Amino acid sequence: MRRFLRPGHDPVRERLKRDLFQFNKTVEHGFPHQPSALGYSPFLRLMAIGTRSGAIKLYGAPGVEFMGLHEENNTVMQIHFIPDQCQLVTLLDDNSLHLWSLKQHSGASELREEHRFTLKGPPGSPPSATQVTAVLPHSSREVLYLGTESGNIFVVELPSFRVLEDRTITSEAVLQRVPEDYCNRRSCELVEALREHPKNPDQILIGYSRGLIVLWDLQNSKVTHHFLGTQQLENLYWQRDGSKFISCHYDGSYTQWPVSSDNRQPEPLENVVPYGPFPCKAISKIYWQTTKNGLPYIIFQGGMPRASYGDRHSISVVHGSQQTAFDFTSRVIDFFIIFSSEPTAEFDDPSAMVVLAEEELVVIDLKTAGWPAVHPPYLASLHCSAITCSHHVSNIPLKLWERIISAGSKQNVHYSNMPWPIDGGTNIAPDPPQRDLLLTGHEDGTVRFWDASGVCLHLLYKLSTVRVFLTDADPNDNMNTLGEDEWPPLRKVGTFDPYSDDPRLGIQKIYLCKYSGYLAVAGTAGQVLVMELNDEDAEHVVDHSEADLLQDQEGYRWKGHEKLKTRDGPVRFEAGFQPFVLVQCQPPAVVTSLALHSEWKLVAFGTSHGFGLFDHQQKRLVFVKCTLHPSDQLALEGPLSRVKSLKKSLRQSFRRIRRSRVSSRKRRGGSGNASEVQEANAKFDQDALQEMELAPVQRKIEARSAEDSFTGFVRTLYFADTFLRDSSRHCPSLWAGTNGGTVYAFCLRVPPAERRMDEPVRAEQAKEIQLMHRAPVVGILVLDGRSTPLPEPLEVAHDLSKSPDMQGSHQLLVVSEEQFKVFTLPKVSSKLKLKLTALEGCRVRKVTVANFGSCKTDDYSENDLAVLTNLGDIQIISLPFLKLQIRYPCIRKEDVSGIASCVFTKYGQGFYLISPSEFERFSLSTKWLVEPRCVVDMPEVTSNNHVHNKSGTENPARKS
């Protein structure tokens, strides 16, 4: 009964746990998944992005971020900022309107939803009567004008969302001033656009989808001008002085209309089809920006010839004789222009174009010749090529940090030097306490280095491994080269490129030593590259070595992909990390584990067939070990093979079930007649079912068979200087854990520095441990005499860690998917274990050692295990006594890709993918917390003819 008793309650420890552990989801890094709407406030200099899942995100200066989520989880269709206010309105696809406000709380601004509202029509009216298609927040800041599918325009009071029925603009009232022959064409079907007159807030321009445009007088409730368009209308734009406006149309044309002071029937000044005369795509949005030199900027989305360029996503910029059609790699959601918003300014003088595409944000500098792109400080397109793995390195030394930034700056010479133009708000978060790197491996063979120190995940440097190999694509191909006479003048912009030249290039494992600058990356086709940092471009030969993991064993035949072909002769590399040696595993299976020891100059690698050790200083293979079991046929088929046998796996599963039932029945007693056996069988089946459903305190864990597929799959590799042969002498060692619950330990003899190049590194197998339950080994750790994890290579040499205690006895911690087990060294006798699956019903997916510091005092910190399970829970387990400290739900158990992508940091934080393009950052520590903390002050409202406040009260400037 002892296991059912509640463990003793220690109030001191409970208080300490509150000072050490706290779970927070802090910030989302990357690009919003499935964006659907874009908004911008020139007054606040903030940008808003809405998504299909109902999220709304605001961005300003780097570090200024806000996020809100609509309860309905519906698609955000439109976003409109209220003029000169810290408020915005969102329209969802369920026709609901939501008012959001930025309000200060505890010294920082927060985004809050204030009101929600759905426009309702009279009883019996069709849904189209109130389906909102256009929204205009009036400059008075008191009302919204809502255009609908029925052609009526409703007026709604702010902030109460009360409908002012006496001010409704009906389609019947509009048609009274329109010629009869035009009315017969059902011209008032749907309100496409609503625009306030830039100089007279008592007039609004109404555009209907059939082509009719009217100027409506709000004071007298009548039409003052009507403009009879002949093409389906897409959008409208006022020129700054209000003397003209532009309409753009479905046939790829735009028209300039004059607005005279008298009531004469206006005729269009000009009608232009920019990419005619052949049928063109619709121009869905247009800007006409005035400049001091007299030549306007005409900027429009779409308009390309349908036959040849119907699949392009383009925005064209025309300025005098200059014309460029920016060709985006994904569908354009929306865009806006940043220009002079001072009411006294005579000209627009545009400075930048901000484009929200489906997969990335692109900003174009319109001030600099050639209109280059601006490097974004946030909203990075993490998934420009699909992310295949991640690796986090904490507390990067300043020298290495500066060298990585220097290498990255040489790659960014084609970007504009313009300061980031969306610079609203003030970041008041404390400066990051240290420099952190997040490295992401990608399907196209690249590794990207991200500054993960603070709220903004910023790209520092991109490394490509493609140059080492021969692929179908030439790396010198330039997609942007255009002939002088090419028309339309397309120019590709953006970094999103999900198509890989060869899936074998994909990066699967990354290991960076922050002290030596050595980097090891391993890929899908068994390639392992060791690199070092070089500040200059260089051309050199990459040494090749092959590691035959099957060791010529008979009866095995690889059915998967071939290895990548390498380039002969010297290869030119850019400044940055440059490969100097390539180890090719044979068979060329996916590299499943990787470890680098920069002090010993060794790299270890594992696949589904075995593991090997390579001396990258002497460029010599030390040894290989085959871990294949005779039944591991699936391991020879490869991840890209189409011949995996589903029947075989099903057959093995049924055999396991049958074996487990038979063995259980035998244990229950072999004697008795047939009816007793049958009754026992039925009772056993019922008990098994109850065991599955009720999940009692400890579950029965079925030992796995050695015949299970992929038992030789190497899951983890670990270097340690510990006592392996006897308790008097410690030596370098390599540990490997497999999918079948086997742990191999090898003694290494590394020559001293003065004879390092003369004598070979030698290895000899010293131990082999077989876990009884045969669960996959996901982590190996050696604790020193003080029960502290051994420091990283070179960490002690850089005075960043205490020397390990070599006087007391060391302990080995083996973490399998099902349990944690501590062994003594060198005898390898079991000392302590924690059965996670038996007690909790979950399996370990990720485990790492994290250091947790107290938020109350700087004098106390401790090392614990951070564990992620297959249920998405995070558990913190103490070292060395393996006591569960606390459990937090983090990821939905159905989110398999999120769980697989999770990476922990050394100081109790973590990242996991919530979509292909976004990392969710979380913290388990009370001390280490990276989250947005910012203030948006309300600038003073300048009194001018554009802003009318009918209540007569001005909003004073608010100071933080």
Side-chain angles (χ1 to χ4, degrees):
M1 292 295 293
R2 189 175 297 167
R3 67 180 179 181
F4 292 98
L5 297 175
R6 187 166 179 257
H9 184 74
D10 183 355
V12 177
R13 180 61 189 172
E14 291 301 315
R15 193 161 52 248
L16 181 58
K17 279 159 58 171
R18 287 195 295 271
D19 295 343
L20 292 172
F21 312 124
Q22 184 180 1
F23 179 73
N24 288 287
K25 291 187 178 180
T26 55
V27 66
E28 293 177 2
H29 295 302
F31 185 77
H33 185 50
Q34 295 182 325
S36 56
L38 178 68
Y40 177 68
S41 169
F43 176 70
L44 300 173
R45 298 184 72 81
L46 293 179
M47 171 181 65
I49 294 176
T51 70
R52 287 192 211 169
S53 59
I56 178 169
K57 301 186 178 187
L58 271 62
Y59 300 92
V64 176
E65 295 185 15
F66 302 94
M67 180 179 168
L69 187 64
H70 296 87
E71 287 182 11
E72 295 80 0
N73 289 344
N74 287 73
T75 299
V76 180
M77 303 298 291
Q78 296 182 35
I79 301 173
H80 300 273
F81 282 87
I82 308 299
D84 305 335
Q85 293 287 305
C86 289
Q87 291 182 313
L88 63 152
V89 171
T90 56
L91 172 68
L92 306 190
D93 66 350
D94 65 353
N95 206 39
S96 63
L97 288 156
H98 302 254
L99 179 66
W100 298 81
S101 295
L102 284 169
K103 296 201 169 176
Q104 290 194 20
H105 176 71
S106 302
S109 297
E110 293 179 352
L111 182 65
R112 295 180 186 170
E113 186 177 355
E114 299 284 339
H115 298 285
R116 64 186 65 191
F117 162 77
T118 301
L119 187 63
K120 291 184 171 62
S125 61
S128 62
T130 54
Q131 184 68 44
V132 178
T133 56
V135 179
L136 172 64
H138 195 259
S139 60
S140 66
R141 307 190 289 276
E142 294 179 350
V143 292
L144 286 178
Y145 290 90
L146 307 177
T148 62
E149 278 188 6
S150 63
N152 296 329
I153 297 163
F154 296 88
V155 186
V156 175
E157 192 177 49
L158 286 175
S160 64
F161 279 134
R162 184 169 64 91
V163 179
L164 305 176
E165 296 182 2
D166 57 324
R167 294 172 64 178
T168 301
I169 305 170
T170 64
S171 53
E172 290 79 11
V174 169
L175 291 175
Q176 287 177 1
R177 287 291 304 274
V178 177
E180 286 187 16
D181 60 333
Y182 198 87
C183 296
N184 293 335
R185 299 170 54 205
R186 295 180 301 153
S187 47
C188 287
E189 269 203 341
L190 180 151
V191 179
E192 199 70 59
L194 292 170
R195 298 285 180 266
E196 184 178 338
H197 195 292
K199 297 297 182 184
N200 183 358
D202 291 331
Q203 291 184 335
I204 62 170
L205 199 62
I206 307 169
Y208 296 93
S209 61
R210 292 276 175 170
L212 172 65
I213 306 164
V214 299
L215 188 62
W216 181 265
D217 185 339
L218 297 173
Q219 291 290 346
N220 302 310
S221 299
K222 67 174 186 177
V223 172
T224 61
H225 298 75
H226 58 266
F227 309 86
L228 306 179
T230 57
Q231 291 292 336
Q232 182 176 322
L233 181 71
E234 291 288 320
N235 222 319
L236 298 169
Y237 187 78
W238 277 107
Q239 290 191 21
R240 191 178 188 92
D241 61 1
S243 64
K244 305 182 195 74
F245 69 88
I246 316 296
S247 62
C248 55
H249 302 275
Y250 182 76
D251 66 343
S253 67
Y254 65 84
T255 305
Q256 194 173 181
W257 301 86
V259 180
S260 57
S261 55
D262 54 30
N263 291 332
R264 284 183 303 165
Q265 170 61 37
E267 293 294 331
L269 292 175
E270 64 171 341
N271 181 265
V272 180
V273 185
Y275 296 113
F278 301 108
C280 295
K281 290 176 70 177
I283 294 179
S284 55
K285 190 171 184 178
I286 191 164
Y287 281 84
W288 184 290
Q289 301 275 281
T290 56
T291 61
K292 290 173 186 172
N293 65 9
L295 292 172
Y297 277 86
I298 306 166
I299 304 168
F300 55 90
Q301 178 185 345
M304 283 281 153
R306 283 186 183 278
S308 307
Y309 301 94
D311 58 340
R312 301 299 179 100
H313 315 288
S314 70
I315 294 178
S316 299
V317 180
V318 183
H319 180 58
S321 59
Q322 287 179 274
Q323 181 165 346
T324 298
F326 292 100
D327 185 13
F328 297 88
T329 54
S330 57
R331 183 172 63 91
V332 174
I333 303 297
D334 201 355
F335 75 102
F336 61 84
I337 306 299
I338 297 177
F339 57 90
S340 174
S341 58
E342 287 295 324
T344 55
E346 190 178 347
F347 303 101
D348 294 311
D349 282 328
S351 58
M353 175 172 71
V354 181
V355 183
L356 177 67
E358 202 165 33
E359 305 292 354
E360 62 186 326
L361 184 83
V362 179
V363 179
I364 303 295
D365 177 2
L366 298 176
K367 288 286 190 187
T368 305
W371 300 331
V374 182
H375 194 53
Y378 47 71
L379 285 173
S381 182
L382 297 175
H383 64 317
C384 42
S385 173
I387 293 176
T388 47
C389 64
S390 305
H391 176 65
H392 187 275
V393 189
S394 299
N395 208 4
I396 302 291
L398 180 60
K399 188 176 180 182
L400 176 63
W401 187 263
E402 289 174 342
R403 292 178 71 189
I404 291 172
I405 290 176
S406 173
S409 63
K410 293 174 183 176
Q411 297 177 335
N412 294 335
V413 290
H414 58 283
Y415 280 107
S416 165
N417 293 322
M418 166 190 261
W420 184 243
I422 304 163
D423 55 3
T426 306
N427 179 16
I428 59 171
D431 290 334
Q434 61 185 30
R435 295 168 293 273
D436 288 355
L437 272 180
L438 180 66
L439 282 68
T440 54
H442 297 264
E443 194 179 46
D444 62 354
T446 59
V447 177
R448 285 169 169 80
F449 290 63
W450 305 93
D451 177 0
S453 314
V455 170
C456 296
L457 194 69
H458 181 61
L459 181 65
L460 298 178
Y461 164 69
K462 183 180 91 170
L463 159 72
S464 177
T465 62
V466 179
R467 286 185 178 273
V468 180
F469 306 103
L470 288 168
T471 59
D472 295 336
D474 186 346
N476 297 318
D477 285 349
N478 188 352
M479 299 294 288
N480 292 336
T481 51
L482 288 175
E484 288 184 9
D485 301 326
E486 184 164 336
W487 189 260
L490 286 165
R491 189 174 111 201
K492 228 171 182 41
V493 285
T495 58
F496 179 70
D497 183 12
Y499 306 107
S500 172
D501 297 328
D502 193 326
R504 295 175 297 172
L505 290 167
I507 305 296
Q508 297 296 332
K509 295 291 174 184
I510 306 170
Y511 197 103
L512 171 67
C513 174
K514 61 186 177 184
Y515 304 111
S516 64
Y518 282 115
L519 172 70
V521 297
T524 302
Q527 69 271 30
V528 180
L529 286 162
V530 186
M531 313 186 187
E532 58 185 342
L533 194 53
N534 190 343
D535 298 327
E536 303 295 332
D537 294 5
E539 189 172 359
H540 60 257
V541 175
V542 179
D543 284 277
H544 297 158
S545 181
E546 285 214 349
D548 181 10
L549 295 172
L550 292 182
Q551 298 173 307
D552 301 321
Q553 293 195 30
E554 293 182 5
Y556 290 104
R557 188 170 62 86
W558 172 247
K559 303 173 187 174
H561 50 262
E562 295 180 354
K563 67 176 184 178
L564 285 159
K565 293 178 181 175
T566 54
R567 293 181 184 273
D568 296 326
V571 182
R572 183 156 191 83
F573 297 102
E574 297 175 338
F577 286 94
Q578 298 172 351
F580 61 89
V581 68
L582 164 67
V583 183
Q584 178 62 59
C585 299
Q586 286 289 12
V590 173
V591 177
T592 57
S593 53
L594 185 69
L596 177 73
H597 201 294
S598 46
E599 191 173 356
W600 302 337
K601 305 289 194 300
L602 299 174
V603 61
F605 48 88
T607 71
S608 52
H609 306 118
F611 60 97
L613 182 66
F614 187 81
D615 178 353
H616 65 77
Q617 185 166 0
Q618 291 189 12
K619 297 174 183 173
R620 172 184 163 273
L621 189 66
V622 179
F623 78 91
V624 292
K625 169 74 175 175
C626 181
T627 55
L628 271 183
H629 188 272
S631 67
D632 274 353
Q633 288 301 318
L634 283 180
L636 294 166
E637 295 181 355
L640 305 179
S641 171
R642 297 179 179 271
V643 294
K644 288 188 177 179
S645 170
L646 178 62
K647 287 181 182 177
K648 182 174 179 180
S649 15
L650 285 172
R651 195 180 303 122
Q652 288 173 339
S653 301
F654 282 121
R655 279 178 185 164
R656 277 202 301 275
I657 293 169
R658 197 178 302 122
R659 269 201 308 271
S660 67
R661 290 185 173 181
V662 168
S663 60
S664 299
R665 288 165 190 165
K666 285 180 180 175
R667 284 197 297 271
R668 287 173 175 271
S671 61
N673 57 29
S675 62
E676 286 176 347
V677 172
Q678 193 173 355
E679 188 180 338
N681 290 350
K683 188 175 187 308
F684 171 73
D685 290 345
Q686 188 178 359
D687 291 346
L689 188 62
Q690 286 178 346
E691 185 179 10
M692 289 167 61
E693 291 175 348
L694 300 178
V697 174
Q698 180 157 335
R699 302 168 184 222
K700 176 76 181 72
I701 299 304
E702 182 65 39
R704 304 181 190 210
S705 165
E707 295 178 16
D708 289 356
S709 295
F710 287 112
T711 54
F713 185 119
V714 179
R715 291 285 290 267
T716 184
L717 291 163
Y718 177 69
F719 285 108
D721 187 357
T722 188
F723 301 92
L724 195 53
R725 290 201 180 280
D726 56 59
S727 55
S728 59
R729 287 178 300 170
H730 57 90
C731 66
S733 63
L734 172 66
W735 301 75
T738 73
N739 222 39
T742 308
V743 177
Y744 300 96
F746 280 76
C747 270
L748 306 178
R749 185 188 169 280
V750 182
E754 62 272 13
R755 299 197 304 275
R756 183 66 178 81
M757 288 301 291
D758 303 325
E759 298 178 13
V761 175
R762 301 194 183 279
E764 184 180 355
Q765 184 169 338
K767 307 282 183 190
E768 181 175 333
I769 307 165
Q770 177 62 61
L771 301 179
M772 293 298 291
H773 58 295
R774 297 183 183 274
V777 177
V778 295
I780 297 173
L781 184 69
V782 172
L783 306 175
D784 69 5
R786 293 187 294 262
S787 297
T788 303
L790 295 182
E792 293 178 21
L794 297 174
E795 194 173 7
V796 176
H798 284 74
D799 296 326
L800 294 172
S801 175
K802 290 181 182 177
S803 297
D805 183 351
M806 292 299 188
Q807 304 304 317
S809 58
H810 285 196
Q811 300 172 80
L812 170 70
L813 171 64
V814 177
V815 181
S816 76
E817 281 190 357
E818 296 178 4
Q819 68 181 27
F820 300 76
K821 199 162 187 178
V822 175
F823 298 90
T824 60
L825 286 176
K827 289 186 177 180
V828 194
S829 57
S830 177
K831 181 180 179 182
L832 186 67
K833 67 180 172 184
L834 170 64
K835 295 181 178 180
L836 189 75
T837 307
L839 296 171
E840 308 287 340
C842 55
R843 296 182 185 277
V844 177
R845 286 289 176 259
K846 304 274 180 174
V847 62
T848 195
V849 176
N851 183 268
F852 293 92
S854 170
C855 62
K856 296 288 179 66
T857 173
D858 292 334
D859 298 334
Y860 183 80
S861 67
E862 66 181 42
N863 292 305
D864 296 287
L865 290 176
V867 179
L868 175 70
T869 72
N870 64 325
L871 302 180
D873 292 338
I874 290 178
Q875 303 187 10
I876 297 174
I877 295 172
S878 67
L879 285 174
F881 301 112
L882 303 183
K883 299 289 185 186
L884 176 63
Q885 300 300 297
I886 204 155
R887 181 192 296 108
Y888 301 111
C890 180
I891 312 173
R892 290 181 305 107
K893 65 180 179 182
E894 298 83 10
D895 186 4
V896 178
S897 60
I899 293 171
S901 66
C902 183
V903 56
F904 288 108
T905 78
K906 195 177 177 182
Y907 294 99
Q909 295 185 68
F911 303 81
Y912 68 94
L913 288 171
I914 52 174
S915 74
S917 59
E918 290 171 291
F919 274 114
E920 175 81 69
R921 187 179 192 134
F922 62 87
S923 174
L924 305 169
S925 168
T926 56
K927 191 172 181 180
W928 297 88
L929 199 65
V930 175
E931 60 181 349
R933 186 168 171 79
C934 40
V935 169
V936 176
D937 286 333
M938 180 106 150
E940 294 226 17
V941 180
T942 308
S943 181
N944 58 75
N945 61 352
H946 182 63
V947 178
H948 285 243
N949 193 330
K950 294 184 180 178
S951 63
T953 57
E954 288 284 343
N955 283 325
R958 289 191 296 178
K959 302 290 182 184
S960 64

